[in-house]
Amino acid sequence: MKLENVANVRELGGIKTSNGKQVKSNVLFRSANLAKASENDVKFLQGLNLKLICDLRTEQERENNLDVEISGAQNIWFNVLGALPQKTSSVKQTEAGVKIGKAMNPNTFNEEAAAHLADFVQTGVFDSVMENLYVGLVAKEHAQQEYSRMFDSILATQGGTILWHCSQGKDRAGLASVFILSALGVDSTSIMEDFAKSNESYQTMVDVALKVAQDKGLSKEHQGVIQAMLGVNPSYMKRALDYINANFGSMEDYMEQKIGLTAEKRELLRSFYLE
């Protein structure tokens, strides 16, 4: 599924559950942000008969980049990262942020931007940030509350067509997909297969950036950071799943205790979205 100005779009229809059912087609969608959606993109999205759009971005990300309006769909903000630290940046830091932003944007990415990204990654500044992103989200109370609100809003549509997104549709939206598919009874292997598909959407960027990183002599670990920044690094998500199993025993227990997704709510979701 490819739109003009909305990246990383796909639906979850057809994914099998552990008990032999499958996700209904054309009801559960995930994507990158909708801020630059073209006229044709809007027509396509309106044709999906969306009832709910879940925006998982921060306030800073949404500023001046609000989603375009999709008629018939309620757009609700779930700020899973919470308020980011406010700090005074030097001119050099600001310039660095702009260069990194160019490297992570499909519309501005090029080999020069990839080289700047490799230089920054090589300093080690992003190591723990990317490696612990998903563990941090599953452990953070604020994120748990926001994902809980997201599920309540999904349930309130009573089986309506849903789309959820963050900026690139891979990390916060990826974790949302992990939770949704888990609640529907999909096994971890299939869940990780869907998670890794974000790499297909950003494959050209990832390939160029990794080639630049290799030429610059970056370590395998730092190449993994670049993979996670431009695409996804499945080993980082596996850390989050291992954290959940180690601390809660199972995904079901975690979702019930921390997201409020009880067995009754999971059964209701399955009645809406499985066939």
Side-chain angles (χ1 to χ4, degrees):
M1 185 178 297
K2 187 173 178 61
L3 300 188
E4 292 175 350
N5 292 334
V6 181
N8 203 14
V9 186
R10 61 184 178 276
E11 65 137 332
L12 305 188
I15 296 178
K16 307 292 185 184
T17 67
S18 298
N19 65 357
K21 293 189 176 184
Q22 66 179 19
V23 179
K24 292 179 180 178
S25 295
N26 298 314
V27 289
L28 296 175
F29 292 84
R30 52 177 294 181
S31 73
N33 75 84
L34 310 181
K36 306 298 183 185
S38 68
E39 185 176 336
N40 287 333
D41 294 339
V42 171
K43 287 180 181 178
F44 173 82
L45 293 169
Q46 288 177 340
L48 299 178
N49 194 29
L50 291 170
K51 298 303 181 187
L52 174 66
I53 295 171
C54 303
D55 186 344
L56 307 177
R57 295 177 295 166
T58 65
E59 183 175 5
Q60 294 93 326
E61 289 170 315
R62 283 163 49 89
E63 188 176 0
N64 300 320
N65 283 290
L66 289 175
D67 287 342
V68 299
E69 183 177 351
I70 306 298
S71 62
Q74 183 180 19
N75 192 311
I76 303 180
W77 179 30
F78 305 95
N79 184 5
V80 297
L81 281 180
L84 299 180
Q86 297 295 317
K87 57 185 179 182
T88 303
S89 297
S90 67
V91 173
K92 190 169 290 189
Q93 288 173 321
T94 301
E95 290 175 350
V98 170
K99 290 177 179 177
I100 294 168
K102 286 183 177 180
M104 297 181 69
N105 185 336
N107 297 320
T108 56
F109 177 85
N110 55 32
E111 194 166 325
E112 180 183 2
H116 286 304
L117 179 62
D119 290 339
F120 286 120
V121 168
Q122 196 166 29
T123 68
V125 69
F126 296 117
D127 290 3
S128 61
V129 174
M130 297 309 301
E131 191 174 349
N132 297 316
L133 173 62
Y134 307 123
V135 173
L137 285 172
V138 300
K140 188 178 180 182
E141 183 177 359
H142 175 81
Q144 295 164 0
Q145 292 171 347
E146 291 298 275
Y147 281 120
S148 177
R149 285 203 310 119
M150 182 194 75
F151 272 109
D152 287 343
S153 296
I154 290 173
L155 286 166
T157 71
Q158 297 186 326
T161 303
I162 312 298
L163 181 146
W164 58 96
H165 74 79
C166 48
S167 285
Q168 293 174 284
K170 63 188 188 68
D171 298 317
R172 288 158 290 180
L175 184 56
S177 298
V178 168
F179 289 151
I180 289 169
L181 289 173
S182 295
L184 293 175
V186 176
D187 66 81
S188 60
T189 299
S190 298
I191 289 172
M192 290 302 294
E193 286 175 356
D194 172 72
F195 177 73
K197 283 183 179 179
S198 287
N199 284 330
E200 298 174 11
S201 296
Y202 300 112
Q203 193 63 58
T204 300
M205 293 169 58
V206 171
D207 288 346
V208 170
L210 289 180
K211 175 64 166 57
V212 170
Q214 290 165 7
D215 290 345
K216 283 178 168 285
L218 267 69
S219 67
K220 289 292 185 183
E221 290 74 16
H222 281 153
Q223 290 178 41
V225 172
I226 289 175
Q227 173 77 57
M229 292 181 73
L230 299 183
V232 293
N233 188 328
S235 68
Y236 292 174
M237 180 59 77
K238 185 176 183 303
R239 287 171 183 253
L241 301 183
D242 289 345
Y243 171 89
I244 287 172
N245 289 329
N247 288 276
F248 298 92
S250 69
M251 176 63 82
E252 289 76 14
D253 287 338
Y254 168 82
M255 290 193 295
E256 182 154 354
Q257 294 176 37
K258 295 300 181 180
I259 303 182
L261 203 61
T262 62
E264 291 77 12
K265 288 182 177 180
R266 295 197 300 274
E267 282 304 314
L268 193 56
L269 276 172
R270 294 174 187 185
S271 72
F272 290 149
Y273 294 112
L274 296 181
E275 61 185 8

